[in-house]
Structures are given as structure tokens and as C-alpha cells.
Amino acid sequence: MADYYSVLGVSSDAHDDDIKKAYRKLAMQFHPDRNNGSKEAEERFKEITEAYDILGNPQKRAAYDRYGDAGLRGGFGGFHHVDLSEALGIFMRDFGGFAGLDELFGGRSRGGVRSGADVKVTIPLTLAEVATGAQKQFTVKLLDPCDRCEGTGAEPGTAAVRCATCGGSGEVRRAQRSFFGQFVSVAPCPTCAGQGKTIEAQCKKCRGEGRLRGEHTIPVDIPPGVSTGQYMTLRGMGSVGPRGGPRGDILVVFDVEEDPRFERDGADLFTEVLVTYPQLILGADIDVPLVNGSFTLRMPKGTQSGQVFHIRGRGLPRVNVGGTGDMEVRVQLWTPQSVTNEQEALVRQLASMDTEKPGQREKGFWSKVKEALGA
């Protein structure tokens, strides 16, 4: 049994805010984008995200506190361990704001040069596109270098000068004395906003910003198997930073449209097929829908309504890990709302000939149990 509180390093009576802070700190440390694809970091990221997914949900946490893992399996539809795509989706869902992502991708101010802000774009997808992958393009407005000052922010013929307040460091230090001694705080310079330089003659076109807004159409190749809430990062394709700062990133977030024919659980699909009474009795080849196309399922004689067939490899591709999910096909008896007189007569004749009824077999399951126990 996993101790989710220990995984996040919090006590069992921790407040919701403390759980969220603990997860955020660990997620920043072990996020795959910060660990160059390390498998060890990836496993740790999945472990802490699973713990957060349980403890961050009041209902799941209550069930876990009372019954442990058994409470999760029994009350939440077959709880399973999260995979990497789900872990990334949970992280993006709760910490998708750019403040958190800026920290994730290493900060946005180094040596007095600030990177451009990240840009988030949502791409709608159909389940058919998820099955095969898709080539998409989107249009977005970004900040580009000013063509008049070439991104410097200074009027042509002039240049930025070292900030007199911070001496070019971009930071100011303030010393404060207290009963415990002297404390030194460091903050961005208020004069140059951490740039280390000031502009005396600002560019007339961009007003010293060094950037102008422009519209871009960007293509993107989306891998198969993605889910709603997952995202991919286009490094260095976002807006430029002020006064010559490098470009930020574009975060492409996926929004998959639901297909009424299926229910989805990761790479696995669930569907339901209606069949007739004769097909259940005699067996039949039935058509089962796929995301793209269909296949034939051979249903044996005597199939019960509600029976589920497990079909391997008929689900969706598994994103980033290879392989394909499975499909669960449930067959259900279709009952016509109206019949002809001839059909009704045949049904009545069949009913009169039916000598075996559900629950009235000579020896059912419970009879055999009683015999085994000697009752």
C-alpha cells in the first residue's frame, strides 16, 4: 500500500494548500522537461503526481484515509496508477499558468536579459485525428523585434547606456538591521527594470520596448494518442523578450472532441453494439465500429446480453511509449418497440416452448456452493 503522504512529504492532517505547495515543489524538481528525459526522474514525477491526484481530491482523500488503496479501487471505478501522459495532464491542469511554467523552464531573467513570455494555444482535435496523428497549423499574435531599432529599443543612431542606479547589474541591494542582525535583500532595479541599461532616446516606433506585435501562422505535427489537457512545447517560438531578449515558448494544449460511439480511458476504448435475440441464440458476425472504419466480431452461440468481449490492439496508440490500447465491446439485446401480428405469434410460440428459465436451472452456482459446504 502506497503512503501518499510520505511521497509528498506532508503529514496526514496537512491542509489542502500545503499538499498543493508540496506537490508543486516536487513537480518542478522532477518534471521531465527539466531532467533531460531521465527515467528515474520520470518515475518520481509520476509517483508524486499520483499522490497529489489522490490527496488533492477531497472525496478520494477521504476514501484513502478510511480504507487505504482498497477504498480507491472500490469507490472510484477501478483506480489505476497514472502514466506519464496523465501525470503531465494533471500538472498542466493545476499549474498551467505561465508563472509556474516560467519557473519550470528555468526562469525568464538572466544576466539582465529577459526572455519573452510563453504563449498558450489550444488545438481542437477529433478522435480520428488522435488515432492517426495530425498536421495542424494555428495563427497566433506574437511580439517580434522592432524593425526600426532592431530590437534594441533605442532610436537609430543612439544606444542604451549603463544604468546609474544599479551600475549595470540589474539588481539593487538593501541592507536592514534588526534584533537578529543585518539582513540584505536583493530586488530588480526599479530604474531599468532589471535590464542593467537605460535608454535616453527611445525608438519612436516601439517606444523603447524593442518589440512590435505581429501575426504568425505556425505548423505543428501532433503525435497520435494524445488526450485532452496534454500539451507539447515549441521551444523558442514564442514572443521575443524586451530589448533583444530571447523568444519564449509556445505551449500547444490539446482539446479532444468526444466521440459518442466510444468511451475512452487513456489508450483503451469502450463501445456498445445492439444485437437481436436470434443473434444471441444462434451466434453471428457483427460489425463493431472503430475510430476509423469497423471490424467484424464473431459472436458465439448462446451469448448473454451484456457480455463484454475484450479485443486486443483495437484501441488508440499509446502516446510517447508505443503500442496500442485495447477495446471492450459490450453486446446488448435490442428490443423492437412494435412487431407485426405474425412476428408476435412467432414470439408467443417460442415463449411457450422455452422450458429453461433464468434462475430455475437444476443446479445453479449457489446450489454447488451449498453442496461443497455440506449444507
Side-chain angles (χ1 to χ4, degrees):
M1 171 177 164
D3 185 348
Y4 291 128
Y5 290 104
S6 296
V7 170
L8 292 182
V10 297
S11 63
S12 58
D13 60 351
H15 192 273
D16 291 346
D17 290 341
D18 295 330
I19 290 173
K20 194 167 187 176
K21 289 177 183 178
Y23 168 67
R24 184 177 185 275
K25 180 180 179 181
L26 291 170
M28 291 295 185
Q29 179 181 350
F30 292 103
H31 195 286
D33 283 352
R34 299 189 75 178
N35 290 276
N36 299 319
S38 166
K39 285 295 181 183
E40 183 177 344
E42 178 183 316
E43 291 302 317
R44 180 72 172 129
F45 180 73
K46 291 189 292 186
E47 181 184 24
I48 60 178
T49 302
E50 179 182 317
Y52 170 70
D53 186 45
I54 299 303
L55 301 183
N57 180 297
Q59 290 76 28
K60 291 182 181 180
R61 183 180 181 183
Y64 172 71
D65 287 343
R66 189 168 185 180
Y67 303 110
D69 286 347
L72 301 176
R73 290 193 297 270
F76 292 93
F79 170 78
H80 64 282
H81 298 294
V82 300
D83 58 25
L84 179 59
S85 61
E86 291 171 311
L88 291 171
I90 291 170
F91 177 81
M92 186 64 184
R93 178 195 68 198
D94 289 1
F95 298 99
F98 291 132
L101 290 167
D102 286 349
E103 183 179 340
L104 171 63
F105 296 132
R108 293 303 180 189
S109 180
R110 295 182 179 179
V113 179
R114 287 193 300 160
S115 297
D118 292 331
V119 177
K120 183 169 71 172
V121 176
T122 299
I123 298 290
L125 297 169
T126 64
L127 203 59
E129 291 172 325
V130 169
T132 60
Q135 291 184 328
K136 293 279 190 173
Q137 64 178 24
F138 59 90
T139 301
V140 62
K141 291 184 178 180
L142 302 174
L143 292 172
D144 299 318
C146 173
D147 56 359
R148 178 178 174 85
C149 66
E150 298 182 347
T152 65
E155 186 67 11
T158 67
V161 297
R162 187 170 63 177
C163 176
T165 302
C166 64
S169 67
E171 299 175 339
V172 291
R173 298 173 179 266
R174 295 184 176 89
Q176 294 179 324
R177 291 189 175 277
S178 72
F179 178 78
F180 299 100
Q182 179 173 292
F183 294 88
V184 178
S185 62
V186 180
C189 174
T191 302
C192 64
Q195 295 289 307
K197 296 180 180 180
T198 58
I199 297 175
E200 296 179 347
Q202 294 184 348
C203 172
K204 296 178 180 178
K205 189 170 185 177
C206 66
R207 299 181 180 180
E209 180 69 14
R211 307 179 292 181
L212 296 172
R213 189 169 297 276
E215 193 171 88
H216 296 255
T217 298
I218 299 173
V220 59
D221 289 328
I222 299 173
V226 299
S227 301
T228 295
Q230 292 180 348
Y231 67 97
M232 62 189 301
T233 305
L234 304 182
R235 303 279 189 198
M237 297 185 66
S239 294
V240 297
R243 302 177 187 175
R247 288 187 179 272
D249 303 328
I250 296 179
L251 307 174
V252 181
V253 184
F254 307 124
D255 183 15
V256 181
E257 179 185 1
E258 292 188 3
D259 189 316
R261 299 173 298 170
F262 305 101
E263 290 185 13
R264 180 183 181 187
D265 181 13
D268 297 329
L269 293 176
F270 302 82
T271 191
E272 189 173 85
V273 178
L274 298 178
V275 294
T276 65
Y277 185 51
Q279 286 178 314
L280 290 174
I281 297 175
L282 303 175
D285 290 341
I286 58 175
D287 287 333
V288 177
L290 293 172
V291 175
N292 293 305
S294 63
F295 73 98
T296 300
L297 171 65
R298 176 152 294 181
M299 187 173 63
K301 294 181 179 180
T303 298
Q304 298 295 313
S305 179
Q307 184 171 335
V308 176
F309 294 90
H310 181 82
I311 313 298
R312 292 190 177 277
R314 291 292 189 172
L316 296 171
R318 301 186 189 279
V319 65
N320 295 329
V321 296
T324 306
D326 302 330
M327 177 177 283
E328 303 281 349
V329 182
R330 183 189 300 273
V331 294
Q332 292 283 21
L333 173 64
W334 172 75
T335 305
Q337 294 182 337
S338 62
V339 294
T340 65
N341 292 335
E342 182 181 1
Q343 289 172 328
E344 182 177 348
L346 289 173
V347 172
R348 290 186 181 279
Q349 181 181 358
L350 179 62
S352 66
M353 299 171 61
D354 191 0
T355 58
E356 184 180 20
K357 298 181 180 180
Q360 296 182 356
R361 294 182 174 88
E362 291 184 2
K363 284 189 178 180
F365 172 75
W366 291 112
S367 298
K368 294 179 182 178
V369 170
K370 289 180 180 179
E371 282 187 5
L373 296 175

